[in-house]
Amino acid sequence: MSRRRSLQPLLLLLLLACLGCQQHLPPDPQRPWSPAERAILASLTPLPRLPPSPGNRVAEDPVAVNLGQVLFFDPGLSANGQVACATCHRPEKWFTDGLPLAHGVGQAGRNAPTLLGSQWLPYLFHDGRKDSLWAQALGPLEADVEHGYDRLALAHRIAKHYRQPYEQLFGPLPPLDDLTRFPPHARPVPFASTHPHHQAWQAMAEADRLAVNAIFANAGKALEAYERKLLPQEAPFDRFAQKLLAGDPTAATAIPLAAQRGLRDFIGRAQCVNCHNGPLFTDKGFHNLALPPLPGQTSLDVGRALGAQSVKADDFRCGSLYSDTQRCEELRFLNPKFEDFMGAFKTPSLRNVAQTAPYMHTGQFATLDDVLAFYRTLPGNARVGHRELVLTLLDPEVSQADLLAFLQTLTGPLPEAQWLHPPQPIPPPDDPRGP
Amino acid sequence: MFKFRLPLATALLLAAACTRPAPMPALPAAEVAAPVAAPAPAPAPLPAAASPAAALPAAVTPTITMRATGEHFAAVWHFTPPKVGELFAADLTVTDAADKPLTAAKITVDATMPAHGHGMMTDPELKQLSPSRWRVEGMKLHMHGSWQFDVRVEAGGVKERLSALYQQAPEAADGI
């Protein structure tokens, strides 16, 4: 896919003429919304229905939802008995942690995103290196700095505390009490062949390794079944846009005037909707904004360029041995060599964004004002790749306060209370090994 | 070397894209048909449309037929308008400029946004159905706005790029 920078003058002229006829009008809230603006508004609301998860046959099973919810809050699934998914995805913070870089057993290299809206993303993580929620969940469990756990310990913990729901969902567990076949701790450790967990993993029989992988994947599937309950809820913006589109005059007071002006700019001259599009306010794609690094961070991150390769090779990807589907269109057509993937990160959903500070993949901006100030000035150059051409300096006439007021109308309530805490008491950790 | 010639069809498509309102399936019909500022130019004589005709009733799923004619070859794209970010497939017919079938043509396809300097995040696959017909799978337009669809044709020792512009409406895909 090659880039076309040089255009024939004629084509350019025509393009300019085209842009001219969709000119961005000044944001006068009294001015009626134009057909083009209404078309864009209609593309941003209502919230879409939950898509199926064909790779996970227990995605809708209430037993899986319950098991997943317990696992999500279970700090026993960590090397030190203290880290659960909920440590970094805190329900009361819209499933984020408020930190620039997440902190588990150690310090993670990236910011913890919200889980609300992740159900629609074809690619998970800031670099999209996983292609389903269930496969995603397996990453943090074994990441040294997150749970620092291992799939054998997980299998033993499931056998000890969660056998009944597990076997009801997935059938009988293998004879895990045979510790010569199933050691207490083992996992493949990439690039660390001398790691004791890696050696224990290598010593296992192939068939036993596959059986443990299946347990690991099934735990991910239960976690996904629960995560599918963590949906973004209707926000003031939705009520405004739906009333407006229905011709209801009370639309005018549904959100503040400043927010209405900000919305006009967001979909108009500020051009945010180029990337933050659709009802989740994300194109689900990846872009290089050439962000400044978090102070003190010197490592370079190629982002999607690596993520796209990883997801195509992931053991738990769509169509893998552990996936419940072989229809994997997204992955099949993914072009890992797409040149703009270098240094690119996923466009986050902007739903509930006012509740999920700090911002960007390493939390480099503490507030939404900092984010908007960045879009206004676009300081510096990309450290990896180049800043994407779509991103142009914010029109100086756009009011930052208006944009901010609009972003605040994207906050809806938290998901139903029953999903915000463990559904039943969590069994104590089995065998904490210390950090 | 590719010669880049802007086919007449492209120019017309572009003009049409400018003056037609984007399709607005979620709006009542009266709104959809609302007139826009500039009067549309005389309809293109070619069987070409850059965006689904806005006045169509919402129930009908329109299909797009886009033609790009070059000096040597011609390409006709045929597809159901996709939503933003949705994988879609298209039928593609490539002939010589007089609509005669080609023998042993090699083609590649691509879609880019000239105004933004980027292409698609996907790598479409081509399946040849007959000497002049292909099925293109795995296209994805991740932004609304103007996309240039290119077909590079090589046949009988001649190479040419055929371009047509397509105006992607903002309606987003709701699932994956």
Side-chain angles (χ1 to χ4, degrees):
Chain A
M1 312 285 130
S2 63
R3 170 177 302 273
R4 324 251 180 278
R5 283 182 203 277
S6 63
L7 289 170
Q8 281 239 322
L10 177 56
L11 181 54
L12 197 61
L13 239 152
L14 278 163
L15 266 172
L16 285 175
C18 188
L19 289 177
C21 62
Q22 317 176 324
Q23 65 182 272
H24 303 305
L25 301 165
D28 166 11
Q30 303 311 315
R31 177 171 64 75
W33 293 72
S34 73
E37 285 172 330
R38 286 163 163 269
I40 296 179
L41 286 186
S43 75
L44 300 174
T45 193
L47 280 159
R49 61 186 158 71
L50 184 63
S53 179
N56 179 358
R57 65 177 176 79
V58 302
E60 318 299 335
D61 190 316
V63 176
V65 173
N66 182 267
L67 175 59
Q69 187 171 0
V70 184
L71 296 178
F72 189 87
F73 290 95
D74 181 358
L77 302 177
S78 65
N80 61 5
Q82 290 169 23
V83 179
C85 307
T87 306
C88 303
H89 301 287
R90 290 168 52 191
E92 73 281 9
K93 283 196 174 296
W94 272 258
F95 293 85
T96 65
D97 59 4
L99 300 170
L101 300 177
H103 202 89
V105 172
Q107 168 90 67
R110 293 199 184 134
N111 175 263
T114 180
L115 306 185
L116 274 51
S118 60
Q119 301 79 1
W120 283 266
L121 301 174
Y123 298 108
L124 282 304
F125 284 130
H126 294 290
D127 57 6
R129 65 184 181 279
K130 290 285 189 169
D131 68 347
S132 68
L133 278 177
W134 69 263
Q136 186 286 329
L138 311 180
L141 284 170
E142 285 191 341
D144 289 327
V145 293
E146 300 190 27
H147 297 245
Y149 210 43
D150 61 87
R151 59 193 76 174
L152 263 294
L154 176 98
H156 289 295
R157 186 162 175 81
I158 284 180
K160 184 162 171 199
H161 302 287
Y162 307 118
R163 179 180 290 272
Q164 195 281 323
Y166 181 94
E167 293 194 332
Q168 184 181 337
L169 288 162
F170 304 110
L173 284 161
L176 286 157
D177 37 8
D178 182 348
L179 293 181
T180 54
R181 278 175 65 190
F182 298 99
H185 296 287
R187 66 178 167 125
V189 190
F191 314 113
S193 54
T194 57
H195 194 291
H197 288 179
H198 190 80
Q199 293 188 334
W201 178 253
Q202 289 302 326
M204 286 173 63
E206 166 86 7
D208 291 345
R209 287 199 300 240
L210 294 183
V212 170
N213 282 347
I215 300 171
F216 194 35
N218 289 338
K221 290 177 184 177
L223 280 161
E224 172 175 19
Y226 162 64
E227 290 175 289
R228 285 167 65 80
K229 301 295 178 191
L230 308 179
L231 303 177
Q233 306 292 309
E234 193 185 73
F237 158 76
D238 297 293
R239 289 190 284 279
F240 167 76
Q242 283 164 35
K243 284 180 169 179
L244 184 98
L245 293 170
D248 179 343
T250 65
T253 54
I255 58 173
L257 278 183
Q260 295 179 36
R261 289 194 301 267
L263 169 58
R264 263 220 166 98
D265 281 337
F266 186 91
I267 65 170
R269 56 190 180 166
Q271 299 185 39
C272 311
V273 80
N274 270 340
C275 301
H276 297 284
N277 64 29
L280 293 163
F281 292 83
T282 169
D283 60 358
K284 304 165 194 152
F286 299 81
H287 304 277
N288 187 338
L289 305 187
L291 291 166
L294 196 64
Q297 244 207 358
T298 50
S299 60
L300 296 179
D301 195 338
V302 299
R304 184 59 173 155
L306 192 58
Q309 285 177 25
S310 310
V311 69
K312 282 220 164 193
D314 190 77
D315 285 346
F316 299 98
R317 68 184 182 278
C318 180
S320 68
L321 220 48
Y322 313 100
S323 166
D324 296 323
T325 184
Q326 297 299 318
R327 287 206 57 208
C328 308
E329 306 280 276
E330 278 294 338
L331 211 53
R332 174 171 156 214
F333 296 114
L334 169 67
N335 173 16
K337 297 202 190 75
F338 180 61
E339 56 199 289
D340 285 345
F341 280 166
M342 187 48 80
F345 293 90
K346 194 171 72 221
T347 312
S349 167
L350 296 184
R351 289 205 172 256
N352 304 302
V353 72
Q355 302 296 330
T356 61
Y359 301 105
M360 305 300 182
H361 66 277
T362 51
Q364 43 266 73
F365 297 131
T367 65
L368 282 176
D369 257 322
D370 296 342
V371 174
L372 296 173
F374 165 80
Y375 281 117
R376 187 177 289 292
T377 54
L378 296 180
N381 291 317
R383 298 190 306 151
V384 181
H386 60 83
R387 177 175 283 135
E388 209 167 289
L389 295 178
V390 194
L391 200 63
T392 48
L393 282 181
L394 198 53
D395 183 328
E397 306 232 309
V398 170
S399 153
Q400 203 160 307
D402 287 353
L403 277 180
L404 185 64
F406 162 62
L407 291 176
Q408 281 160 346
T409 66
L410 294 174
T411 303
L414 283 170
E416 257 180 84
Q418 70 177 118
W419 309 121
L420 305 182
H421 50 76
Q424 61 235 36
I426 304 282
D430 300 304
D431 167 28
R433 284 174 291 120
Chain B
M1 207 193 80
F2 294 117
K3 259 212 226 152
F4 182 41
R5 313 186 81 248
L6 184 73
L8 175 66
T10 305
L12 287 171
L13 285 173
L14 193 42
C18 280
T19 47
R20 285 187 198 173
M24 290 168 290
L27 297 181
E31 302 255 16
V32 173
V36 278
L46 299 166
S51 62
L56 279 179
V60 178
T61 308
T63 49
I64 302 287
T65 306
M66 282 199 314
R67 184 185 165 102
T69 311
E71 199 178 336
H72 307 285
F73 306 118
V76 179
W77 289 88
H78 197 70
F79 55 94
T80 305
K83 294 178 181 181
V84 172
E86 182 178 61
L87 283 169
F88 70 102
D91 285 314
L92 181 65
T93 307
V94 181
T95 57
D96 74 7
D99 292 346
K100 299 253 158 50
L102 298 168
T103 45
K106 271 195 237 152
I107 69 164
T108 60
V109 300
D110 196 2
T112 57
M113 290 192 96
H116 298 165
H118 64 71
M120 290 186 295
M121 298 188 184
T122 58
D123 207 358
E125 283 174 18
L126 281 165
K127 246 187 246 151
Q128 187 157 14
L129 306 177
S130 77
S132 46
R133 284 191 56 227
W134 282 264
R135 180 85 178 151
V136 187
E137 290 182 314
M139 308 263 299
K140 190 199 263 195
L141 310 179
H142 61 276
M143 283 184 197
H144 79 262
S146 186
W147 286 83
Q148 177 175 320
F149 285 32
D150 285 328
V151 187
R152 286 192 163 85
V153 189
E154 186 181 345
V158 185
K159 289 182 184 177
E160 189 172 35
R161 185 170 96 195
L162 306 164
S163 304
L165 285 184
Y166 173 64
Q167 195 66 25
Q168 172 62 43
E171 199 196 348
D174 67 354
I176 44 172

